[in-house]
Amino acid sequence: MTISRRNFVRVGGAALALPLLGKGVFAQAEKLKIGFIYVGTINDNGYNYAHNQGRIFVEEALGDAVETVYVENVPEGPDCERVLRELAQQGCKLIFATSFGFGDSVVKVASQFPDVAFEHATGYMSGPNIGLYNARFYEGRAVCGTIAGHMSQTGKAGYIGSFPIPEVIMGINALALSGRRVNPDFTVKPVYISTWNDPAKEADAARAMIDQGIDIVAQHTDGPAALQVAAERGIVGGFGQGADMSEFAPETQLTAIIDHWGPHYLASAQAVIDGTWEPGNTWEGLKEDVVQMGPYNDKVPADVVADAEKVRLGQIDGSFHIFTGPINDNTGTERVAAGVVMTDAELLGMDWYVEGVEQPA
Amino acid sequence: MDITLAILVTVVGASTPILIAALGELVVERSGVLNLGVEGMMLIGAIAGFVVQFHTGNPYLALLCGALAGTAASLIFGFLTLSLSANQTATGLALTIFGTGFSALAGSSYSARPITLMQPLFPAELATHSIARVVFGYSFPVYFSFFMVAATWYFLHRTRSGLILRAVGENDQSAHSIGYSVIGVRYLAVMFGGAMAGIAGACFPLLLTPQWAERMTAGRGWIAVALVVFASWKPLRLLAGAYLFGLVMTMELYAKAGGGPLSIIPSELWAALPYLATIAVLVLISIRRDATTNAPACLGKPFLPSN
């Protein structure tokens, strides 16, 4: 049984349907019921799609031992609290809140349901029954930035961001640092569009940046619109975000960052079943296979692929960390001394841009 | 491409769907009906257009099917509000919710399926020069939207049918008493509004970004509804308003992408401009309160013949 917006509509009334559906499901359950809430739609071909793939991964791995429920398109705000509470009341013993902005709601609802395990993605507020999990997307960005630095002819990349939160800023900085590692003149121009999913606006933002001289586009929004514009305008290329988006721009996607949440979801579900679940705080990346790179496009030259692979493998074996000093911010002040690696806490609170990133308007 | 021309081309892209949807709603409201379901009808048009383009590769057929799907959705609204006299505001909101859910359901198997964008109407040779590009470089819906502005203006103000439609919107009882079918006229207006919203929705996958994404109209149906008020129910003002909104939406992004003269105005101000403009227009309208606000007198009221 999955509960989504469209199922709501199918049965007639969104608010009424949830408890009704829940009752029927609750009655038959000995199995572990797991709830997922997504900020967007599972058909966004990106971030939420990837989380849902993780949910399916758990269902396939554990079969009859679990039952999953998901709710899509949950706005970050009061609605989220309502949805979380309803999932808990329906009998979900493990709930994944998959967007940064769900944090406040998770903290509130988790205190009311102490026997339910909550896990919040990309957040920072934990609790006795709130675990945190995240993926080191910036490791993927470092691979992308290496390719961008090598391949950009104008030396300028554009970056469509949703909101200026640490996770997004970290990605922009990783792209800029790794691009500048191979081309010291490489710059990144961020544009925030204040939404995770508005394909037309993402496309127009890409057009605006391309018209002003960028020839590589990266995005931290949920869909492939920017890549499609990159293909339409014939610039050097762009990167898939969250999922392999090569279908949308086969000539233009240079590689992609793929979120592979499945193993983490499976481990958490197994822990709840075994009664060993504890609120963790995981932040896994390329090494743990939670972040994967998509295929390199044929048009990426072999030496560039080799350099990108060096960065990828270096992050897997621990010999390379993109946030290693010396790092200056974009006002020229030194933020990280030579040889020092930024701590996870520093990264998760990142609110400044590295040298080479234009201060967003 | 020159940056000014590039901006112009992007503005046209951003403005066209809003203009088309708003023109449809303008005619609906002129007949005395308030249909708040524009966003929902646009989404239904968007998925219909996408599906047809995906399977046939014929964008004109896709636009037509978008129009038909929008019309079908508008008939649900028409039946409830015109035949059953249901509350128009509530029914319109319900139509938007329905359209959002229905389009998501219909589109669920079409994620990760790219289509091809609609090609420009004129041969590429005509649009080689950058100035010519601004005139000849667009695909069909752009020219259609201009044509429809003129046609709607002509229809409303220069034809007998337009006069009847306006009469129905201003005073349904009188129009009824001299023998016009108020409900019939309103049905036609609502269907026209649905067709236009459907075409506007289909513009999203065909013109702007060749994919299906749930809720891909992202609230632009509401901008279209607001524009009708902004334009005081006048087609030519609507054209100006749609392009003003399109310009502001686009300039926000160009200013953020930045550099040069564009960055003089902070992007926060760009983002606030549509709202400031709306407030300015509303203030102007209310200053001239003695003059008519131009809102159709019967707007939003169900027609219940007195005898």
Side-chain angles (χ1 to χ4, degrees), chain A residues 268-319:
Chain A
S268 294
Q270 193 62 55
V272 171
I273 291 171
D274 299 342
T276 57
W277 185 88
E278 281 187 0
N281 187 352
T282 62
W283 199 17
E284 297 164 332
L286 288 168
K287 185 176 148 198
E288 296 85 1
D289 207 29
V290 169
V291 176
Q292 301 173 330
M293 298 309 295
Y296 296 108
N297 196 301
D298 289 343
K299 76 181 198 184
V300 181
D303 57 326
V304 176
V305 169
D307 201 24
E309 276 296 286
K310 213 173 79 187
V311 169
R312 187 176 76 86
L313 296 170
Q315 294 181 105
I316 291 174
D317 67 25
S319 63

Side-chain angles (χ1 to χ4, degrees), chain A:
Chain A
M1 180 81 229
T2 56
I3 294 171
S4 70
R5 186 91 198 192
R6 73 179 68 99
N7 281 330
F8 285 1
V9 172
R10 199 155 39 184
V11 290
L16 286 173
L18 197 48
L20 289 179
L21 288 169
K23 237 177 243 167
V25 171
F26 196 35
Q28 46 169 288
E30 266 300 318
K31 45 177 116 175
L32 172 66
K33 196 165 171 188
I34 312 173
F36 291 79
I37 67 170
Y38 309 130
V39 69
T41 144
I42 58 168
N43 292 324
D44 67 354
N45 308 308
Y47 184 80
N48 297 291
Y49 168 84
H51 277 287
N52 195 53
Q53 291 301 110
R55 181 187 65 82
I56 293 166
F57 186 90
V58 175
E59 275 206 331
E60 284 172 357
L62 295 178
D64 285 344
V66 293
E67 176 179 347
T68 66
V69 180
Y70 67 92
V71 187
E72 300 173 87
N73 288 321
V74 179
E76 295 175 337
D79 271 357
C80 170
E81 208 179 307
R82 179 180 61 77
V83 174
L84 283 171
R85 195 171 293 122
E86 279 172 358
L87 285 174
Q89 279 164 351
Q90 272 184 52
C92 289
K93 291 292 168 218
L94 175 61
I95 296 174
F96 294 101
T98 64
S99 187
F100 175 81
F102 293 155
D104 294 327
S105 309
V106 171
V107 170
K108 263 189 205 165
V109 178
S111 64
Q112 296 159 359
F113 294 92
D115 61 333
V116 176
F118 289 84
E119 292 207 12
H120 180 212
T122 74
Y124 59 93
M125 292 173 285
S126 62
N129 58 335
I130 307 171
L132 302 174
Y133 66 106
N134 202 342
R136 294 181 189 267
F137 305 114
Y138 71 82
E139 294 184 348
R141 305 268 178 213
V143 180
C144 296
T146 307
I147 298 173
H150 279 291
M151 292 187 71
S152 174
Q153 283 150 14
T154 62
K156 291 180 190 164
Y159 202 111
I160 299 169
S162 49
F163 303 94
I165 57 175
E167 182 193 334
V168 176
I169 293 172
M170 214 186 310
I172 293 170
N173 286 341
L175 189 87
L177 285 173
S178 58
R180 287 169 79 81
R181 197 180 60 84
V182 294
N183 172 9
D185 296 326
F186 182 78
T187 59
V188 177
K189 187 193 281 281
V191 166
Y192 290 108
I193 61 165
S194 306
T195 170
W196 287 108
N197 192 17
D198 180 343
K201 195 169 185 185
E202 292 162 42
D204 280 345
R207 290 186 180 104
M209 292 196 291
I210 293 168
D211 290 338
Q212 299 185 51
I214 65 120
D215 66 353
I216 296 260
V217 65
Q219 79 277 9
H220 201 146
T221 47
D222 290 344
L227 266 179
Q228 289 175 323
V229 171
E232 167 195 319
R233 293 290 178 95
I235 61 168
V236 171
F239 305 100
Q241 142 70 11
D244 185 355
M245 299 176 174
S246 55
E247 276 203 69
F248 290 93
E251 308 288 321
T252 310
Q253 178 183 289
L254 302 174
T255 185
I257 303 168
I258 299 170
D259 307 346
H260 186 45
W261 298 105
H264 174 79
Y265 287 158
L266 178 59
S268 294
Q270 193 62 55
V272 171
I273 291 171
D274 299 342
T276 57
W277 185 88
E278 281 187 0
N281 187 352
T282 62
W283 199 17
E284 297 164 332
L286 288 168
K287 185 176 148 198
E288 296 85 1
D289 207 29
V290 169
V291 176
Q292 301 173 330
M293 298 309 295
Y296 296 108
N297 196 301
D298 289 343
K299 76 181 198 184
V300 181
D303 57 326
V304 176
V305 169
D307 201 24
E309 276 296 286
K310 213 173 79 187
V311 169
R312 187 176 76 86
L313 296 170
Q315 294 181 105
I316 291 174
D317 67 25
S319 63
F320 179 85
H321 195 296
I322 186 65
F323 289 108
T324 307
I327 301 175
N328 291 350
D329 67 19
N330 62 354
T331 65
T333 314
E334 186 183 90
R335 290 290 191 132
V336 184
V340 175
V341 176
M342 290 182 74
T343 64
D344 284 356
E346 283 168 347
L347 288 176
L348 290 168
M350 201 167 215
D351 60 355
W352 50 275
Y353 298 93
V354 301
E355 210 163 33
V357 178
E358 288 180 30
Q359 187 66 28

Side-chain angles (χ1 to χ4, degrees), chain B residues 258-280:
Chain B
L262 292 174
S263 56
I264 294 169
I265 303 177
S267 68
E268 289 82 359
L269 185 58
W270 282 113
L273 271 182
Y275 308 101
L276 296 177
T278 307
I279 292 168

Side-chain angles (χ1 to χ4, degrees), chain B residues 146-185:
Chain B
F146 292 130
F147 171 77
M148 288 310 290
V149 171
T152 305
W153 178 85
Y154 185 83
F155 169 78
L156 286 175
H157 299 286
R158 291 287 181 274
T159 67
R160 187 178 160 74
S161 313
L163 186 67
I164 296 168
L165 182 129
R166 285 190 288 142
V168 165
E170 292 297 339
N171 193 332
D172 47 14
Q173 297 295 350
S174 302
H176 175 68
S177 64
I178 53 175
Y180 293 118
S181 165
V182 170
I183 298 297
V185 168

